[in-house]
Structure formats: structure tokens, C-alpha cells
Amino acid sequence: MTKKISDILKQKKRTFSFEFFPPKTKKGKDSLFKTIEGLMKFNPDFFSVTYGAGGAKKELTMNIVDQIQRTFGTPTIHHLTCIGHSVDELKSIIEQMRGKQIRNVLALYGDIPEGIKSKEPSDSLSYCFQLCQLLRSYDDYFSVGVAGFPEGHVDAPNKETDLKYLKIKLDSGGQFVITQFFFSNADYFDYLKRAKELGIQKRIIPGIFPITDYKKLLKISRDCGATVTENVRKVFEPITDKREKTYREGINFALKQCRQLLAQGVGGLHFFTFNKLEPTREILDKLFKTIRD
Ligand SMILES: Cc1cc2nc3c(=O)[nH]c(=O)nc-3n(C[C@H](O)[C@H](O)[C@H](O)COP(=O)(O)OP(=O)(O)OC[C@H]3O[C@@H](n4cnc5c(N)ncnc54)[C@H](O)[C@@H]3O)c2cc1C
């Protein structure tokens, strides 16, 4: 039986986990499996696979989660979005997950796909907390995680309201949080402090984004509302078009960020890998060396 993340979090004070997107081709899948093979030496606690809210091939996520779990035996979170689905469709997807022993879900509202104006069927869920409630109504079969935004969600009126919405998600059945990436650890620790003050006691795992391409980072950050901090700009702007230098500085930056987070006792690190083994492997090799020393 697949382990639930909520049980893993009860047993371990700190987890290491990795996010992938579902590949569309056989070549992409082979390459992802090589990445996972390379990450297995770090004894990952869990993986997660994103869900293309807009794409037609939503079943890709379920198939790859199933294959990863059967091949590597590591619990793998299926991201699932409200957007683009009626409640009946969501129920059908949830039943299919049960059939494949997919017991871990990251409940999300979802990114509104480009070019789509009318964002959802009329009988779909309006907020992620409703998906948490739906998933938790299945006799405790699923462990449910939710997204958190240390800088506040891009559409939230302010940080306080954003955190109140997070609490609603957790009170509705969310059991842990994986955050959006951030480059200021101070923002993350401030988020933890404010969450605690609001009575949130569940684990908030920081999302780590190793920088390999500065222009791509600027675009992704713009879309999701994450701040590219002054210290990131200072390092990466002058070397924007120098791939190798950017890559090396990306490793240095992530390593420093992770070391500081671990030194302050974070409950885990969740790496956004973009399906690539490097630079995550190099960062972890160096990080584990310091942890062991
Ligand atoms: C770790 C991580 C993984 C992600 N993976 C994916 C993925 O696989 N696929 C994908 O499409 N997207 C993914 N996203 C992006 C996410 O779907 C978007 O950021 C989305 O806009 C917000 O989703 P949510 O689950 O936080 O939704 P919600 O919590 O429902 O929030 C959506 C909006 O509604 C507002 N809101 C929330 N609750 C309430 C309430 N009770 N009353 C009024 N307003 C409210 C919020 O302020 C926000 O503006 C991911 C994000 C993170 C951090």
C-alpha cells in the first residue's frame, strides 16, 4: 500500500522531495526516469507531478504518477486542479486514483490556461478549499497537500487575507503545504511566523527553484508573482547570456539558500527540477556532504 505523505511527515522531521512535470513523449519519459534514477541515491521521501490545468492530456499526470510509484516505490503526489473540471469529472478522476493506489494529492485551484476566457464549467469548484473537502470525504484514503505563497498569492488582496485563505484550506482537510519558490528566506520565515500566529500548525515545506536561465526565471516569476530579489538581480543580470556562469551561480545561490533554511530547522526541501537531474543532484551532493560533516 502506498504511504501517505501525512504519515511520512509524522515520522520524519525533515523531508527531501522533487517535483516533475508529465512528459508528453517516450523520449521525455525515458529522460525523466533517468533523472529519477539519479535522485534515488538521496532516498527521496516523495515526488510530485504537476497537472496541466489547460492541456488536453490531463491523464498524463495519472499515468506517470502510477508508473513512478510502481517502478521506484516512492510515494508520488498527483497535483489536481479545480479548474477545467466539473465536480463529476473530479469525482471520476479521484476514483481512478484510488484504483491505482495514488493516495497523495496536491489540491490546487490551478493556473488559468492561456487563451481561455471562460475559465470553468458552471458546476465546477470555485476555490481549492472545496477540493480539499471533496478529497477528504473519501474515508481518509487520501493525504492532501495545498499550495502556499510566502509573498502572498498574486491575486490575493494582501498577505494577511492570503494566509486566512491558506488556513481555510488547511481547516478543510489540507494536511501540509508546499510553497511557491522564493529567493528571500526572510520572507519564508516571516510567513511561518505569521502562519503560527494564525494557529496554523501544519508543515510548510519550502519550494526551491535552482536558477539555470535568468530570462526564463524573470518570465516565470512575473506569471506567478514571485519577487526576483535585488541580490538575485545583482548576481544574474550581468551574466544573463552566459549559460555556464549562470548555471554555476545558480548552484551557489540555491546551495546557500538551502543551507540557511536547513540551519534554521525547516521541515523539508521540495525541489522544482523541471525534470532535469542537474543542477539538483549537484546541489544535494554538496548539501548532504555538509549535513554529514
Ligand atoms: C507548489 C505548487 C505547485 C503547483 N502546481 C500546479 C499544477 O500542477 N498545476 C497548475 O495549474 N497550477 C499549479 N500551481 C499554481 C496554482 O494552481 C496557482 O497559483 C493558482 O492560482 C492558485 O491555486 P491555489 O490552489 O492556491 O488556489 P486557491 O487557494 O483556491 O486560491 C485561488 C485564488 O482565490 C483566492 N481565494 C482562495 N480561497 C479563497 C476564499 N476562501 N475566498 C475568497 N477567495 C479565495 C486566492 O487569494 C487566490 O487568488 C502550483 C503552485 C504551487 C505553489
Side-chain angles (χ1 to χ4, degrees):
M1 191 71 131
T2 313
K3 264 194 168 176
K4 292 201 285 183
I5 308 302
S6 49
D7 292 331
I8 295 173
L9 298 183
K10 277 182 208 152
Q11 288 158 5
K12 296 189 83 169
K13 282 204 173 121
R14 186 175 66 196
T15 54
F16 290 91
S17 53
F18 305 93
E19 181 177 298
F20 311 119
F21 63 84
K24 292 197 179 92
T25 61
K26 179 170 181 315
K27 198 172 155 213
K29 191 193 131 194
D30 292 346
S31 160
L32 171 60
F33 273 51
K34 284 224 161 66
T35 293
I36 299 178
E37 276 165 26
L39 293 171
M40 287 310 285
K41 72 168 177 169
F42 300 111
N43 290 323
D45 292 290
F46 60 90
F47 299 124
S48 85
V49 181
T50 60
Y51 193 73
K57 302 228 166 105
K58 293 174 189 146
E59 69 280 5
L60 284 175
T61 298
M62 191 172 315
N63 291 340
I64 203 76
V65 168
D66 182 37
Q67 286 175 44
I68 293 172
Q69 291 197 151
R70 282 192 287 110
T71 310
F72 298 96
T74 305
T76 303
I77 301 178
H78 187 304
H79 294 205
L80 182 62
T81 64
C82 305
I83 206 168
H85 289 303
S86 66
V87 175
D88 281 345
E89 277 169 8
L90 285 171
K91 286 182 179 165
S92 153
I93 293 168
I94 292 168
E95 282 303 337
Q96 288 171 48
M97 282 186 195
R98 282 220 290 194
K100 292 183 188 296
Q101 283 210 28
I102 296 172
R103 306 189 70 195
N104 297 295
V105 184
L106 192 72
L108 299 149
Y109 179 70
D111 285 324
I112 299 170
E114 267 175 46
I116 301 232
K117 284 202 183 88
S118 137
K119 53 180 190 179
E120 48 200 287
S122 55
D123 65 337
S124 68
L125 303 176
S126 306
Y127 296 112
C128 171
F129 78 86
Q130 297 162 312
L131 182 55
C132 294
Q133 287 169 340
L134 178 63
L135 284 159
R136 297 286 279 139
S137 68
Y138 285 77
D139 295 333
D140 211 24
Y141 185 84
F142 295 104
S143 175
V144 179
V146 296
F149 301 87
E151 299 182 64
H153 184 268
V154 65
D155 297 327
N158 53 53
K159 282 184 175 186
E160 286 65 38
T161 312
D162 182 68
L163 210 48
K164 279 186 197 147
Y165 293 155
L166 178 70
K167 184 153 185 342
I168 294 174
K169 292 196 273 195
L170 295 172
D171 291 344
S172 304
Q175 295 167 303
F176 61 95
V177 182
I178 300 180
T179 77
Q180 186 57 278
F181 65 88
F182 54 89
F183 297 112
S184 158
N185 286 350
D187 281 343
Y188 169 77
F189 286 115
D190 176 58
Y191 186 61
L192 290 194
K193 182 170 159 278
R194 289 185 294 110
K196 207 171 164 192
E197 283 164 6
L198 208 63
I200 293 173
Q201 291 177 339
K202 293 176 179 161
R203 186 128 12 138
I204 302 181
I205 301 169
I208 305 296
F209 184 128
I211 300 168
T212 53
D213 181 334
Y214 185 61
K215 279 185 190 152
K216 195 168 146 197
L217 167 72
L218 290 180
K219 186 189 174 313
I220 296 175
S221 301
R222 226 179 2 253
D223 290 348
C224 72
T227 304
V228 178
T229 52
E230 193 47 41
N231 56 338
V232 170
R233 287 185 189 281
K234 246 192 215 161
V235 174
F236 293 95
E237 229 160 56
I239 53 171
T240 304
D241 296 316
K242 301 194 169 116
R243 274 181 70 165
E244 183 52 31
K245 271 197 169 165
T246 299
Y247 182 85
R248 302 270 27 120
E249 288 300 338
I251 288 178
N252 291 340
F253 192 95
L255 197 55
K256 198 169 156 202
Q257 179 177 25
C258 293
R259 280 186 178 138
Q260 278 177 2
L261 289 167
L262 291 177
Q264 295 195 54
V266 287
L269 296 174
H270 186 76
F271 288 87
F272 300 120
T273 68
F274 298 95
N275 292 7
K276 302 248 188 310
L277 179 57
E278 305 295 351
T280 304
R281 185 197 60 79
E282 189 171 342
I283 293 165
L284 277 176
D285 266 338
K286 292 188 165 138
L287 204 56
F288 274 45
K289 193 171 174 308
T290 355
I291 294 172
R292 279 195 303 263
D293 287 348

